[in-house]
Amino acid sequence: MKPTDTSRREFIAGALMAGAALAGCSEENNPFESSAGEMVKPSGEKVKLLSVNGEVIEVDKAFLKPVPHMPPVSNDEARIGIKGKKFVMVIDLSRCKSLKKCQEACDHVHHVHPGQNWIKVYPMQDAEHTAPYWEPTTCMHCDEPPCVKVCPVDATFKRQDGIVLIDSDRCIGCRFCMAACPYSTRVFNWSEPELPKEIADQPYSCETSVPQKKGTVGKCDFCADMTRQGELPHCVSACPNGVFFFGDMIEDSVTNGSETFRFSELVRDKAGYRLMEDLGTKPSVYYLPPVNRNFPFKKDDEKEEGEKS
Amino acid sequence: MENLAKNEIIKDLLPRKFNATGKLWIGVLLSLCVVGLIAYTRQLSKGLVVTSMRDYVSWGIYISNFVFFVAISLVGSLITAILRLTDVHWSTPLTRIAEIIAVSAITFAAIIIVVDMGRPDRFYNLFFHGRLQSPIIWDVIVITTYFFISILLLYFPLLPDCMLLLKNEKKLGKRPNKLYKFLGSFWRNTPAQIKINECAINILVITIIPVAFSIHTVTSWLFATTYRPGWDSTNFGAYFVSGAFLVGAGGVLMAMYAFRKSYKLEKYITELHFDKMGKIVVMLALVYLYFNINEFLVPAFKMKKPDQEHLMGLFAGDFAPLFWFAIITSMFLPVLILVFKKGRKPLPAFIAGCLVVIGSWIKRYVIVTPTLLHPFLPMRDVPPSYRHYFPSWEEWAIAMGSLAGMMLIITVFARLFPIIPIQETITEIEQHENA
């Protein structure tokens, strides 16, 4: 059977109406058909599996097929983003004690150059008589991103799901974005990144931001690869104090892994705010003020010269 | 000047072979360029890590040097265009000096910006993926335009002189002769040709003025379009353009003196020229001072919190010596020298020109770097070396090499072509006599 497009459509329509859906699918459209066509001989070896409804079932080993990895996303797809999503982060300042587990996890996953950080934890004190607190910062993934505005080659871009990413295969290293970002969130690969060979040889992906390349800019990517898989960014899951909440503004929910809130309610009830609102950058990262804190503020070990809080 | 015979003028102004000092000068410039090239190959292989720039100070002396080059190149439009359009005739002997400064400076502005790029190998992305909303693309467009207009403004007035050069083959040697043939063998000095050339020059001098303003205004916008304290200023365009005219005029004073001495041009670049250029520099320094007062007094009056740290750093902090040195040498001292008649004699005027240029170079550095050391959020979670900036030897070598390269272009040009337009000088004397 070599159906033309029209005949196939008619055929499928007819098949659906007849209630015999699967039988009518043409070969390339049916992912089950090719394996169904192959005659797999049972090996006799059984494996115990947990089914989706919680029952333990036995399956012959020969019928098991490895699940392929998520296919790498093309550069075009990575630039568009995930449809119908608007990612948002809420950082609860009352829970942070500058453990920097977020930073560690982020540095590790993205192979950030030693000494540089995509996440920074600032000791802040807004005025002389106000309370000090810890303020972790990621990329703010602004809705009016100054970095994207100034990029001459569209190497840093804003996706429809709100994430701002960098195409390190296109970046020319002019560093205008670094000058433009008021949050000092961007870092530069001043030298050849020290990466294990198998990482360095990978093709660059905007969503994983790996491998970083010499002479280009890097920054927090909201772990776009994780969000595509429906998982939390690494900083969120690494934080033992649940400081970071991540989620989707359209679903109106954010979670830190163990607690889930309605985003709108959380930000309303706890008087959430964004950094440097007056600049008009419209960040996607919200902060909950450091009230009723879980930990007292203790100046950390990091003895940095010229440290000003 | 009036009594000079035509032949004498030609004899005086034809390009000459380098003497011993000239050869030494070329040698020094060449070796500076070579050191710069060595430093750049190191940078190419190791990356920008050889510089002292880091995540906070992400722009250093490469960028301030770039701003300096763009600034000094504006003088081409000042001398050739603005003075020409206002019917000023005394500046004729200076036009070619100004124009070659413009061409060589804008060339090195383009080179130094490529040097600053982390990925110069991807330069072509500016054309394949260029986005018109980025001020960098605006800069690429206007600088390219300015380069070509300046080249033409150098070339068209050179055509009549090419003919004179071709007539003097014996004196000038064979190889330069090939160049003159290539450039100007079609020139017959017919009235039609003269007319069309004049017409073309007139169109160019008018178009170059908005383009010249654009190159430096857009360059200032590379800073002013960001939020940073010290850069976030609506005054920046005018501030940069006025400073650019000042440093360019200072550069012309230097070049006038150097060429007058080395080519014995006392009859052509006279004390009158130093007097007039000196007065122009005084005016430009005062205009620049006015914009400086606007730039610093107004935010200092308010002392908004983000501005405060930056301004105090300039007025009384780490950058105070450089800041005040730049203000004093680029504005106060030159005015103090040139405002007096004796100060407008060649040697003091030359010294004033040097002060302007040195002060202006440092001024560009003070505009670029201190701002980057005062980000909105305090510097944090970086190695100690990221918290301050002093250029590495590679950066110095490349910056100095580029300055040497610019002077090398000017010197070589003066070796090959008459640095004072011969034909125009003759025409002007003839017109003067007829009148």
Side-chain angles (χ1 to χ4, degrees):
Chain A
M1 184 181 75
K2 274 189 181 173
T4 63
D5 267 4
T6 21
S7 73
R8 186 169 70 196
R9 205 178 299 137
E10 282 163 10
F11 189 91
I12 292 173
L16 279 172
M17 272 190 280
L22 267 177
C25 286
S26 66
E27 267 180 55
E28 68 263 10
N29 272 2
N30 187 351
F32 304 106
E33 196 154 325
S34 57
S35 57
E38 280 171 41
M39 287 303 293
V40 182
K41 281 184 186 162
S43 65
E45 239 185 294
K46 302 278 184 189
V47 201
K48 281 196 173 127
L49 294 173
L50 191 65
S51 81
V52 272
N53 15 341
E55 290 169 76
V56 179
I57 51 171
E58 269 195 346
V59 180
D60 193 282
K61 211 176 176 185
F63 290 119
L64 294 181
K65 270 174 67 182
V67 180
H69 283 291
M70 286 269 286
V73 206
S74 74
N75 186 285
D76 286 340
E77 281 173 273
R79 280 175 173 269
I80 293 167
I82 303 164
K83 274 201 179 116
K85 296 273 183 191
K86 174 76 180 77
F87 294 112
V88 67
M89 183 177 267
V90 179
I91 297 176
D92 187 347
L93 297 177
S94 68
R95 300 179 178 205
C96 181
K97 61 179 279 192
S98 188
L99 276 180
K100 294 192 169 179
K101 296 286 179 199
C102 51
Q103 198 179 60
E104 258 170 52
C106 173
D107 290 350
H108 175 75
V109 172
H110 298 106
H111 306 276
V112 179
H113 183 79
Q116 289 180 320
N117 296 290
W118 289 0
I119 295 179
K120 292 179 180 178
V121 186
Y122 291 90
M124 295 301 278
Q125 186 168 7
D126 295 341
E128 205 183 332
H129 299 293
T130 59
Y133 58 94
W134 292 108
E135 181 176 83
T137 59
T138 64
C139 169
M140 298 291 145
H141 296 275
C142 305
D143 287 345
E144 297 291 342
C147 52
V148 171
K149 252 194 226 171
V150 300
C151 179
V153 294
D154 201 17
T156 189
F157 52 88
K158 176 85 178 165
R159 314 201 305 180
Q160 55 169 278
D161 57 13
I163 300 184
V164 174
L165 292 180
I166 298 173
D167 186 345
S168 286
D169 282 334
R170 187 182 288 185
C171 174
I172 60 169
C174 69
R175 311 190 292 293
F176 199 178
C177 54
M178 299 177 76
C181 175
Y183 306 98
S184 306
T185 193
R186 290 175 165 251
V187 305
F188 191 73
N189 291 296
W190 299 98
S191 53
E192 192 66 63
E194 299 156 23
L195 300 171
K197 198 178 175 304
E198 65 273 18
I199 304 264
D201 288 347
Q202 282 173 13
Y204 175 81
S205 153
C206 302
E207 293 202 340
T208 57
S209 304
V210 171
Q212 286 289 298
K213 305 219 159 157
K214 179 176 115 177
T216 66
V217 176
K219 68 160 188 72
C220 154
D221 56 4
F222 259 9
C223 292
D225 56 323
M226 300 297 281
T227 52
R228 189 177 282 280
Q229 294 167 40
E231 290 182 47
L232 289 172
H234 294 284
C235 53
V236 180
S237 32
C239 178
N241 296 322
V243 172
F244 298 88
F245 292 84
F246 189 81
D248 179 4
M249 212 178 225
I250 295 167
E251 280 177 8
D252 197 22
S253 77
V254 285
T255 179
N256 61 5
S258 51
E259 300 155 272
T260 305
F261 293 98
R262 287 225 162 275
F263 164 75
S264 54
E265 281 169 19
L266 183 66
V267 168
R268 185 192 63 205
D269 295 346
K270 295 211 167 169
Y273 65 94
R274 303 186 288 192
L275 291 189
M276 301 178 210
E277 191 67 59
D278 51 325
L279 298 183
T281 51
K282 300 185 183 156
S284 298
V285 178
Y286 289 74
Y287 285 85
L288 304 181
V291 287
N292 300 327
R293 272 182 275 176
N294 293 0
F295 310 99
F297 178 89
K298 247 192 278 166
K299 189 85 173 141
D300 66 342
D301 44 342
E302 196 182 343
K303 287 185 193 77
E304 289 177 287
E305 282 169 50
E307 185 76 287
K308 279 166 196 156
S309 52
Chain B
M1 208 200 274
E2 289 89 64
N3 308 325
L4 291 172
K6 191 177 162 186
N7 288 339
E8 205 183 332
I9 297 176
I10 297 176
K11 204 185 114 214
D12 281 348
L13 296 182
L14 278 184
R16 263 164 280 176
K17 288 212 171 91
F18 293 122
N19 56 13
T21 339
K23 279 177 187 157
L24 183 70
W25 171 244
I26 288 278
V28 170
L29 292 181
L30 269 177
S31 30
L32 280 173
C33 288
V34 168
V35 176
L37 274 176
I38 292 170
Y40 187 54
T41 47
R42 269 176 64 83
Q43 181 181 310
L44 276 182
S45 63
K46 299 193 175 186
L48 283 169
V49 69
V50 301
T51 71
S52 295
M53 290 186 280
R54 291 298 178 261
D55 292 345
Y56 283 106
V57 181
S58 52
W59 284 344
I61 55 167
Y62 292 158
I63 294 290
S64 58
N65 207 22
F66 161 75
V67 177
F68 175 82
F69 278 130
V70 177
I72 202 165
S73 83
L74 247 67
V75 74
S77 74
L78 173 73
I79 304 276
T80 38
I82 295 177
L83 292 187
R84 188 191 172 99
L85 286 175
T86 45
D87 230 10
V88 170
H89 289 291
W90 60 262
S91 65
T92 312
L94 309 181
T95 48
R96 196 160 289 160
I97 294 179
E99 212 49 59
I100 187 62
I101 291 179
V103 169
S104 56
I106 205 73
T107 307
F108 272 93
I111 291 174
I112 209 76
I113 210 71
V114 175
V115 167
D116 186 70
M117 284 168 61
R119 297 301 295 243
D121 52 318
R122 295 182 186 165
F123 185 77
Y124 60 86
N125 277 1
L126 284 170
F127 305 100
F128 291 162
H129 300 293
R131 288 162 81 240
L132 212 53
Q133 77 196 72
S134 168
I136 286 192
I137 298 290
W138 308 347
D139 225 11
V140 170
I141 294 169
V142 288
I143 285 181
T144 317
T145 313
Y146 188 75
F147 174 78
F148 283 110
I149 297 181
S150 297
I151 284 272
L152 292 179
L153 266 180
L154 188 64
Y155 177 52
F156 287 169
L158 202 61
L159 284 170
D161 283 2
C162 269
M163 196 181 67
L164 291 172
L165 293 170
L166 280 168
K167 279 186 193 157
N168 289 280
E169 188 185 342
K170 274 179 204 159
K171 268 187 220 159
L172 300 169
K174 276 209 167 148
R175 266 190 294 174
N177 215 54
K178 274 188 190 162
L179 180 68
Y180 308 143
K181 253 190 197 150
F182 173 72
L183 288 174
S185 60
F186 61 88
W187 187 263
R188 299 278 172 274
N189 224 19
T190 61
Q193 277 184 330
I194 292 173
K195 201 180 160 203
I196 205 169
N197 197 21
E198 220 163 71
C199 192
I201 292 172
N202 275 335
I203 293 172
L204 288 174
V205 295
I206 292 168
T207 43
I208 202 171
I209 292 175
V211 179
F213 273 73
S214 306
I215 56 167
H216 218 41
T217 308
V218 172
T219 300
S220 83
W221 288 347
L222 298 183
F223 307 99
T225 51
T226 70
Y227 297 101
R228 306 219 171 214
W231 290 354
D232 179 12
S233 157
T234 50
N235 184 38
F236 245 45
Y239 173 51
F240 269 48
V241 170
S242 61
F245 282 134
L246 172 64
V247 58
V252 167
L253 270 183
M254 282 174 78
M256 277 162 68
Y257 186 82
F259 282 124
R260 180 178 139 114
K261 275 270 159 192
S262 53
Y263 284 88
K264 311 236 166 346
L265 299 173
E266 284 84 355
K267 276 183 274 180
Y268 303 90
I269 302 176
T270 61
E271 297 207 349
L272 171 105
H273 290 105
F274 284 93
D275 185 67
K276 301 256 189 198
M277 275 311 290
K279 284 176 183 164
I280 289 185
V281 170
V282 170
M283 181 197 73
L284 291 171
L286 292 176
V287 172
Y288 190 43
L289 185 65
Y290 167 75
F291 282 111
N292 269 276
I293 292 169
N294 272 277
E295 187 55 37
F296 292 105
L297 186 94
V298 176
F301 189 87
K302 290 177 282 194
M303 278 295 181
K304 284 194 281 188
K305 201 184 160 202
D307 286 339
Q308 189 179 5
E309 236 179 290
H310 170 66
L311 289 173
M312 290 318 289
L314 291 181
F315 296 160
D318 292 349
F319 285 97
L322 279 181
F323 176 76
W324 292 115
F325 179 82
I327 297 267
I328 289 168
T329 46
S330 74
M331 286 170 265
F332 284 102
L333 287 181
V335 169
L336 216 58
I337 295 172
L338 295 170
V339 83
F340 297 107
K341 197 158 185 164
K342 273 188 185 163
R344 295 193 296 273
K345 296 276 175 216
L347 183 64
F350 168 73
I351 294 170
C354 294
L355 289 174
V356 166
V357 171
I358 294 167
S360 298
W361 194 87
I362 293 169
K363 186 86 169 78
R364 302 298 176 282
Y365 177 72
V366 178
I367 289 172
V368 173
T369 297
T371 281
L372 289 166
L373 283 167
H374 300 111
F376 283 109
L377 295 169
M379 290 191 260
R380 179 73 186 167
D381 285 348
V382 285
S385 65
Y386 283 42
R387 291 167 176 272
H388 38 77
Y389 173 75
F390 188 80
S392 67
W393 78 260
E394 286 91 346
E395 284 175 278
W396 284 116
I398 291 173
M400 293 306 140
S402 65
L403 291 169
M406 174 192 155
M407 289 189 266
L408 193 64
I409 292 186
I410 298 172
T411 314
V412 170
F413 178 84
R415 165 70 189 83
L416 292 171
F417 299 98
I419 195 68
I420 292 183
I422 303 179
Q423 186 62 51
E424 278 181 75
T425 310
I426 294 171
T427 321
E428 243 170 54
I429 288 172
E430 280 170 2
Q431 276 171 353
H432 204 87
E433 278 166 1
N434 292 342

